[in-house]
Amino acid sequence: MTPEEALAIYRAGPEAVVKALCDLYAENRAWGERIKVLEEKLKVLEERLAQNSRNSSKPPSSDGPDKPAPRTLRPRGEHKPGGQPGHKGYSLKMVEKPDHTVLHRVDQCEKCGRSLKKKEAMNIERRQVFDIPPVKIEVTEHQAEIKECLCGHLNKAAFPENITAPAQYGQDIIARAVYLRDYQLLPSERTCEVLRDFFSCGMGEGTLNNATSKCSLVLEEPLEQIKQHLTKSPVVNFDETGCRVDGKKQWLHVAGTKNLTYYQIHPKRGSEAMDEIGILPNFEGTAIHDFWKPYFKYSCKHGLCNAHHLRELTFVYEEQGQVWAKHMIDRLLDIKKVVDEARNVTDSLPEEQIQEFEEHYEKILKEGYLANPLPKKTTSHKKKRGRRKKSKSRNLLERLDHHREKALAFMYDFSVPFDNNLGERDERMMKVQQKISGCFRSEDGGKVFSRIRSYISTARKN
């Protein structure tokens, strides 16, 4: 408002002044509310920029070239890096019976030149070289006799069931090709190059694709057995991650233990996919996961991934300066250390120690609630529907409170892990495959890859 406009209002009388003041008050209030909204948006954006792989679920690859030096949440260990005393080494050791022996003779004296060809050796110094001989593909011809009986009937010997064409690749070279492509993640063209360079095998990409499809069909029964074993396991790690299939986003679901791995790609991420996969609906053990809410639909026991909690608590402490988060980090790591040490001698903690940990956990939660009060109810005449919006730190606090038995499941049951790292490790190489290939070109290709990867991963674990 300019001075001239203010003077005109003053001359218009008291009613005009009151109306102008009311309009000014309403305008200032509107600006105040807008500034408050913009400040909240700015805070959200600043927190988003401050997130990295240390304090959130973002992968390390998203940190960028200017990422800070990595700092681990683990306490410093007592041991120096490298092999520890008593550690079994893996260096080469000489064998008693080598495959080949090459004798290097002494024919004459290095000093006087006298011939030593007929003189026997006093001793022999041995050195062994470990190497791979030249490998070349071998061709085995199968011949079926044909004989004519006196009755005039021609009789022909039967070929083995797996030999169906005049010329075909054997099972060993097929297995190596499938392993290189679907487990070592070589693209199809480079897999064929390796087979050609190492084994003189001129397999084409079409033949390789047919081989993987046939391999996938053979694995139906073993994979069903893996699912049955997972359903009966006491503890299973579950996770899911996005992937591109035929140009669309789908979800790779993984369920695993120390001895089993099962992958399946599905268009959905939630309970619809979990029902169709068929492990969780009949599972009665403890499911370890990262608080994805569809998991709670199932009546099994649950354990939450504390690695996720530690990262979120780190963000709350470092970026928001809330001390209770640091106390919770220390408490969770302290409990983990005690459990790891006790696991070597017993299968549970004493009740007194569990109660002490629970009381300290409760005390830290109270500190967190004091630092994160509920947002005040708005006095605006416009009433918003639904629950009041809470900060991320408040949501984390309520999760640690309302699901404390699940967050501390590793303390109550030693068979429950502290985190879901096993599930994340199982899916890590699948993300590498996506980085190499970009996507699966078809749904069938994704299913074939998941089946083969499930089988080989399970075999390696055993």
Side-chain angles (χ1 to χ4, degrees):
M1 182 183 298
T2 62
E4 292 77 9
E5 291 174 339
L7 184 59
I9 293 173
Y10 174 75
R11 289 175 177 172
E15 293 182 359
V17 173
V18 172
K19 183 178 181 304
L21 290 175
C22 290
D23 292 342
L24 185 60
Y25 174 77
E27 184 179 355
N28 288 341
R29 185 174 179 179
W31 276 107
E33 291 179 356
R34 185 175 182 184
I35 290 172
K36 185 177 180 180
V37 171
L38 292 175
E39 286 178 342
E40 291 178 355
K41 289 184 178 180
L42 178 62
K43 183 180 178 181
V44 170
L45 293 174
E46 288 178 339
E47 290 181 349
R48 188 178 300 174
L49 286 174
Q51 288 181 343
N52 53 52
S53 59
R54 284 186 57 256
N55 57 26
S56 71
S57 297
K58 296 179 66 175
S61 58
S62 66
D63 289 343
D66 299 327
K67 62 182 178 181
R71 288 182 293 169
T72 179
L73 294 172
R74 300 176 184 173
R76 185 179 181 86
E78 300 176 357
H79 303 291
K80 294 181 179 180
Q84 305 301 318
H87 171 70
K88 183 180 178 181
Y90 294 96
S91 58
L92 285 176
K93 293 182 179 180
M94 297 180 70
V95 299
E96 291 297 327
K97 296 181 180 180
D99 298 301
H100 307 283
T101 300
V102 179
L103 179 62
H104 301 278
R105 300 182 180 277
V106 177
D107 292 333
Q108 65 180 23
C109 177
E110 295 177 351
K111 183 176 181 181
C112 65
R114 183 175 294 146
S115 175
L116 301 175
K117 290 183 179 180
K118 297 182 179 180
K119 189 174 180 63
E120 293 186 2
M122 298 170 52
N123 200 355
I124 290 178
E125 181 181 353
R126 301 166 63 218
R127 297 181 182 180
Q128 295 182 346
V129 177
F130 293 72
D131 205 346
I132 299 176
V135 180
K136 184 180 179 181
I137 194 169
E138 293 182 348
V139 179
T140 301
E141 181 175 286
H142 293 258
Q143 299 178 347
E145 291 185 334
I146 301 175
K147 296 182 179 180
E148 184 178 4
C149 180
L150 292 175
C151 68
H153 179 72
L154 287 178
N155 300 273
K156 185 174 72 172
F159 286 103
E161 291 184 2
N162 60 330
I163 300 177
T164 58
Q168 65 183 68
Y169 290 109
Q171 294 181 353
D172 286 347
I173 193 68
I174 290 293
R176 283 166 172 78
V178 173
Y179 172 80
L180 288 172
R181 195 185 80 162
D182 288 345
Y183 194 80
Q184 295 300 338
L185 306 180
L186 290 180
S188 297
E189 182 179 357
R190 289 177 58 192
T191 300
C192 295
E193 288 180 1
V194 170
L195 295 175
R196 181 175 64 250
D197 295 342
F198 282 2
F199 309 116
S200 301
C201 172
M203 184 181 296
E205 293 184 48
T207 303
L208 177 59
N209 291 333
N210 292 335
T212 54
S213 298
K214 291 180 180 179
C215 180
S216 172
L217 295 176
V218 174
L219 294 177
E220 286 188 3
E221 183 177 348
L223 291 186
E224 188 61 32
Q225 294 177 3
I226 290 175
K227 287 176 64 174
Q228 292 176 6
H229 284 299
L230 284 169
T231 304
K232 298 176 182 178
S233 297
V235 178
V236 177
N237 295 71
F238 294 91
D239 207 352
E240 69 289 325
T241 184
C243 60
R244 303 291 296 180
V245 179
D246 192 20
K248 302 175 184 178
K249 185 173 183 179
Q250 295 198 16
W251 295 92
L252 172 76
H253 295 258
V254 57
T257 66
K258 293 181 179 179
N259 302 102
L260 303 165
T261 307
Y262 184 83
Y263 299 105
Q264 185 162 329
I265 292 178
H266 196 278
K268 302 293 184 179
R269 184 186 181 189
S271 57
E272 180 181 340
M274 298 171 187
D275 289 340
E276 187 173 323
I277 292 170
I279 296 176
L280 277 166
N282 303 313
F283 181 63
E284 297 180 355
T286 302
I288 310 301
H289 52 85
D290 56 359
F291 199 70
W292 175 233
K293 288 191 176 181
Y295 285 113
F296 292 106
K297 170 187 174 183
Y298 302 96
S299 58
C300 61
K301 292 179 285 187
H302 298 269
L304 297 181
C305 174
N306 283 299
H308 281 75
H309 292 155
L310 292 180
R311 289 194 290 266
E312 293 179 67
L313 289 165
T314 299
F315 180 86
V316 174
Y317 173 62
E318 294 184 349
E319 301 300 329
Q320 299 180 355
Q322 299 190 25
V323 181
W324 73 270
K326 180 65 168 62
H327 293 166
M328 184 61 77
I329 291 173
D330 295 340
R331 177 50 54 191
L332 289 174
L333 293 176
D334 286 344
I335 299 174
K336 180 181 183 299
K337 182 179 179 181
V338 171
V339 169
D340 290 341
E341 292 174 352
R343 186 181 282 114
N344 298 324
V345 294
T346 183
D347 58 356
S348 63
L349 293 180
E351 289 296 330
E352 301 81 16
Q353 194 169 29
I354 291 178
Q355 184 177 356
E356 180 184 350
F357 284 143
E358 289 176 339
E359 291 175 353
H360 200 169
Y361 188 92
E362 174 69 24
K363 181 180 178 182
I364 297 173
L365 290 176
K366 291 180 179 179
E367 294 178 19
Y369 281 122
L370 290 175
N372 295 275
L374 282 172
K376 296 180 180 180
K377 292 184 178 180
T378 178
T379 57
S380 174
H381 62 281
K382 293 183 179 179
K383 293 185 178 181
K384 295 184 178 180
R385 300 176 62 183
R387 294 175 295 180
R388 284 178 285 176
K389 186 177 181 181
K390 302 174 185 177
S391 64
K392 289 185 177 180
S393 54
R394 175 77 188 200
N395 287 331
L396 171 61
L397 186 64
E398 292 185 358
R399 185 199 317 163
L400 293 171
D401 183 11
H402 301 161
H403 299 274
R404 65 178 71 189
E405 294 83 5
K406 302 175 183 64
L408 297 176
F410 72 99
M411 180 179 73
Y412 302 115
D413 183 357
F414 282 8
S415 66
V416 176
F418 177 77
D419 49 42
N420 195 29
N421 285 353
L422 188 147
E424 293 183 357
R425 285 196 300 269
D426 280 340
E427 73 177 15
R428 186 171 299 150
M429 295 309 294
M430 305 294 275
K431 300 299 289 186
V432 174
Q433 192 276 340
Q434 291 282 286
K435 290 182 180 179
I436 294 172
S437 301
C439 67
F440 294 108
R441 294 183 180 178
S442 66
E443 290 190 10
D444 289 340
K447 291 177 181 178
V448 167
F449 181 85
S450 299
R451 285 182 175 181
I452 294 174
R453 187 85 193 184
S454 299
Y455 180 81
I456 298 179
S457 176
T458 300
R460 290 187 63 87
K461 285 182 176 181
N462 288 274

